[in-house]
Amino acid sequence: ESKRQATSAEAGAFPVLTPREREVTEQLADGASYDEIGRALGISTNTVRTFIRSIYEKLHVCSKTEAVKEAMRLGYLRPPR
């Protein structure tokens, strides 16, 4: 049973970004501001802030740069060519 618990713990350790959070992260990777992200995705700047807070929390990061790097590491974003 301890083996099953470890597997569950590992599964919970991998952050799952929603499709919208992925879109926001892609915009961050392109260097877009919160206002630009909002306009591109048809959402308010405050909603962008809410998504970014959630992304930071899920990825355990504190900045846009860290979020983009972690999203790339996890395979959510492709590295630039």
Side-chain angles (χ1 to χ4, degrees):
E1 191 167 344
S2 63
K3 196 174 195 179
R4 197 171 343 141
Q5 289 173 345
T7 304
S8 297
E10 288 170 13
F14 185 79
V16 177
L17 298 182
T18 66
R20 195 56 140 182
E21 289 169 341
R22 290 180 190 199
E23 289 177 321
V24 171
T25 305
E26 288 170 4
Q27 294 285 323
L28 285 177
D30 289 340
S33 69
Y34 289 16
D35 289 338
E36 291 168 334
I37 294 170
R39 281 194 299 277
L41 301 180
I43 58 179
S44 74
T45 302
N46 283 334
T47 302
V48 171
R49 284 189 181 93
T50 300
F51 278 117
I52 290 176
R53 258 194 307 272
S54 177
I55 292 163
Y56 284 12
E57 188 175 310
K58 287 181 178 183
L59 298 182
H60 305 286
V61 298
C62 300
S63 72
K64 291 179 191 180
T65 303
E66 289 176 343
V68 169
K69 287 171 71 174
E70 187 65 5
M72 277 189 212
R73 189 184 74 76
L74 294 170
Y76 287 119
L77 296 173
R78 292 185 191 164
R81 292 182 179 197

